[in-house]
Every structure is written in structure tokens, then in C-alpha cells.
Amino acid sequence: MSQTQSSANASATVAFIDLAGFSAIADVYGDAAAIDVLEIFESMVREALSDYQPPIKWIGDEAMLSFPEPEIAIQALGTLLQACRKEPRLPLTRTGLNHGPVIRRAGDLFGSTVNIAARIAALASPGQLLATQPIAEAAAARGILIRDLGTVALRSVAGEVPLYEIELAPSADPAWIDPVCKMHAPYSSYRRAAPEGPWFCSPRCEEAYRKSPQTYPFR
């Protein structure tokens, strides 16, 4: 019991990061293609965290990460998210961060800090990083662009939480995000002078969208 109590006094910056279009990649291109994408992502996460703590765990295509403090999280994720954005084989990532007290048990983390980080990640749009105030303050101190999104209500969380968008990688232009697989047009040659409707990375994604546009909201 005393060991659990002492673990509860620890604090950490908790991050959840996943691939926004992973499920659609499996549906449209097949499980083998999805696993190939996941292996690329896992390799990039391992490389970016080589000087830090490895992921706490993987939940499908989502990695749960932990850092001692917001400044270290920003440094590590800045490297990872920029690398992911430059990798044309990956869809856009979604990331949520929170800092606060955690309970450490059997190599895992528990508590409201973890729950809030997970809820925030679920709110993030493709290519977006959302975070709470301690993370935003650390980012602002480093001259990183942040945007105050106001307070939001999170499922199973009492009260509203101030939320911020932090630009650790170039922001994604919604006009050039494939609504199916969430790939982002990586080079200017992919772009059209006057886009009409969604951009698609391939005919297969376009076909999937035409068959079921309600499944893949375009925004």
C-alpha cells in the first residue's frame, strides 16, 4: 500500500499519439498495408524516443508516452511530429498532452491526468496537437506558436478544461488532407490551382469516398 501511495505522488507529462487514418487504410487497402504503415510509425517513435523513455504502451496504432516534464515532452515530440510530417507514407498524426499527478503501477500510468490526455487526443483533428495549460506555457516559453481554444467539456471529466493547440510541426491545410486515409499532400506538385471538393492521394481513396461520403467527413 505504501508503494502505491508514494507512486501516486509522482507527476508526469502524458502524451497519446495515433495515426488519424489508420482504420481507413485497413478498410481500403487491406490489413497488410495497414501493418506496413504501423511498422513505419512504430520505428519512427522508437527512433525519436531513443534518448528518452520508451512508450508506456501501444493500443493499436496509438502510443502512450510519458515524460518527466512538459519541456522534455515538447522537445521529443517536436522531433517526432516533424519527422512524421515529412514521411509521405504516413497519414497525419493526432496528439494530446497533459501534465499532472499520476499513479505508477507495473510499468503503466493511471489517474485523471492520463484520462484527460486520452480524451484530448480523441478531440484532435488530423495533424493537430492539443494540450492543457502547463504544456502550452512551456511551449510559449520556447517561442512555439500556440492558440488558445478556450475551455472544453471532456467525457467523464468534472468541469471544463482549458485547451490549447501547439504547432510543433507545420499546420496541415484541410484542403489537402485526404478525407479517407488522412494523408496530406506532401509536395506542392500534388496541389491544384483551385481545389474543388476533397483531394485524394489515390483512386482507391476517391472510390471509397464516392461510395460512402458520410463515412469520411470532409473538412
Side-chain angles (χ1 to χ4, degrees):
M1 179 66 69
S2 60
Q3 182 177 358
T4 301
Q5 290 174 342
S6 64
S7 296
N9 293 328
S11 62
T13 299
V14 179
F16 286 88
I17 177 170
D18 71 358
L19 298 174
F22 185 74
S23 296
I25 291 172
D27 292 341
V28 175
Y29 296 93
D31 291 340
I35 293 301
D36 287 344
V37 169
L38 180 57
E39 288 178 347
I40 293 169
F41 182 49
E42 289 176 341
S43 175
M44 295 182 72
V45 170
R46 286 195 301 269
E47 183 175 351
L49 297 182
S50 60
D51 294 330
Y52 307 94
Q53 181 178 345
I56 297 295
K57 60 185 175 183
W58 284 89
I59 310 165
D61 67 307
E62 183 176 60
M64 176 183 172
L65 313 177
S66 174
F67 304 93
E69 56 190 27
E71 292 80 4
I72 296 176
I74 289 169
Q75 182 176 336
L77 288 174
T79 299
L80 174 59
L81 295 181
Q82 290 179 39
C84 288
R85 182 60 59 82
K86 294 176 182 177
E87 174 51 72
R89 295 173 293 176
L90 287 186
L92 292 167
T93 57
R94 302 181 305 173
T95 311
L97 286 95
N98 185 31
H99 180 84
V102 295
I103 299 173
R104 300 183 185 275
R105 182 175 183 273
D108 206 345
L109 298 181
F110 300 89
S112 62
T113 296
V114 177
N115 295 338
I116 289 173
R119 301 283 186 268
I120 291 172
L123 291 178
S125 299
Q128 192 175 43
L129 184 155
L130 299 180
T132 52
Q133 188 169 347
I135 318 298
E137 290 175 349
R142 294 170 64 101
I144 296 170
L145 181 64
I146 66 170
R147 185 161 66 96
D148 187 344
L149 303 179
T151 58
V152 299
L154 301 175
R155 181 170 57 88
S156 303
V157 176
E160 294 193 335
V161 177
L163 205 58
Y164 301 82
E165 180 178 8
I166 302 177
E167 191 171 305
L168 292 185
S171 59
D173 184 345
W176 304 108
I177 300 175
D178 187 315
V180 177
C181 68
K182 309 307 180 188
M183 293 287 183
H184 189 255
Y187 309 111
S188 59
S189 59
Y190 279 66
R191 303 190 172 194
R192 296 166 292 191
E196 296 179 2
W199 170 86
F200 298 99
C201 75
S202 72
R204 292 178 71 173
C205 278
E206 183 170 11
E207 180 183 4
Y209 180 83
R210 302 303 181 201
K211 287 181 177 179
S212 182
Q214 70 277 7
T215 303
Y216 310 108
F218 170 54
R219 55 179 177 175

